[in-house]
Amino acid sequence: MAVDPTLTHYRAPLRAVHWLTVIAVIVVYGVTYLEDFFPRGTPGRAAVWWTHISVGLTLVALVVARLGLRAFGPVPAPSAQISRPVKIASLAAHALLYLLLVATPLVGIYLAFLRGDAVTFFSLFTIPSPIAADRPMAREVIEVHELLANALVILAVLHAAAAVYHHVVLKDDVLKRMLPQRGG
């Protein structure tokens, strides 16, 4: 990761991917609450899971893009306005967020395969299950997927709350570094 101490904000591509990741997490998690509105086997229920899986795959692509942008593009140094313990906590929270952003959709893909389902990406391409269906194992894996998803959302909400706290209460630059700025 190339740190550029002259930068005061994250660059526009990284900010854009960050906010697209936020939207994707909200959609992929939120759409699951629509499942109960549709009986099993109906087109509505199928659309819920088609959206969930497609946006989940989008989330994987966004995380790969984020990791690439962070690894190969310059990023600002940690904010000078936060203490060392806060910097360490921030690094730990970000590492856990990245881990959950990768693990949750990958476990979801594995779950689909265990159910014997192909994984489709907005009907543009389909990945057939490379493994034999195993419904009993799928019932175990769904618990892991849901646990990871809930942990991801809880951590993301805490992350957002901390950013708002920094902005509103501490009035430092932590949130501003990830917000859009004029001129890119």
Side-chain angles (χ1 to χ4, degrees):
M1 177 170 53
V3 174
D4 182 347
T6 66
L7 290 177
T8 59
H9 288 74
Y10 287 91
R11 297 214 172 206
L14 191 54
R15 289 193 318 264
V17 171
H18 172 271
W19 293 108
L20 288 170
T21 301
V22 170
I23 292 166
V25 168
I26 290 168
V27 170
V28 80
Y29 191 82
V31 75
T32 62
Y33 287 96
L34 300 176
E35 172 189 28
D36 292 334
F37 290 105
F38 304 99
R40 286 185 183 267
T42 62
R45 194 165 186 147
V48 165
W49 293 113
W50 176 86
T51 303
H52 179 78
I53 291 169
S54 294
V55 176
L57 291 172
T58 302
L59 189 56
V60 172
L62 287 167
V63 171
V64 168
R66 282 184 75 159
L67 291 171
L69 287 167
R70 286 191 64 90
F72 300 111
V75 296
S79 175
Q81 297 178 349
I82 60 174
S83 67
R84 181 164 169 70
V86 171
K87 286 178 189 173
I88 292 168
S90 173
L91 287 171
H94 280 91
L96 187 53
L97 274 169
Y98 279 110
L99 177 65
L100 291 169
L101 284 166
V102 170
T104 306
L106 291 181
V107 170
I109 292 167
Y110 181 56
L111 172 61
F113 290 158
L114 282 172
R115 290 177 168 167
D117 297 334
V119 172
T120 185
F121 179 71
F122 294 110
S123 300
L124 296 174
F125 64 85
T126 299
I127 305 166
S129 177
I131 59 176
D134 185 344
R135 294 275 179 181
M137 177 64 114
R139 283 190 283 282
E140 300 289 327
V141 172
I142 195 167
E143 299 293 328
V144 174
H145 182 60
E146 289 174 354
L147 176 71
L148 292 171
N150 289 332
L152 172 59
V153 169
I154 289 167
L155 186 57
V157 167
L158 291 172
H159 173 70
V164 170
Y165 177 78
H166 276 274
H167 188 71
V168 173
V169 176
L170 300 178
K171 299 190 185 313
D172 60 25
D173 67 345
V174 170
L175 179 60
K176 291 177 189 172
R177 295 155 48 93
M178 192 52 81
L179 292 176
Q181 66 183 103
R182 291 188 187 142

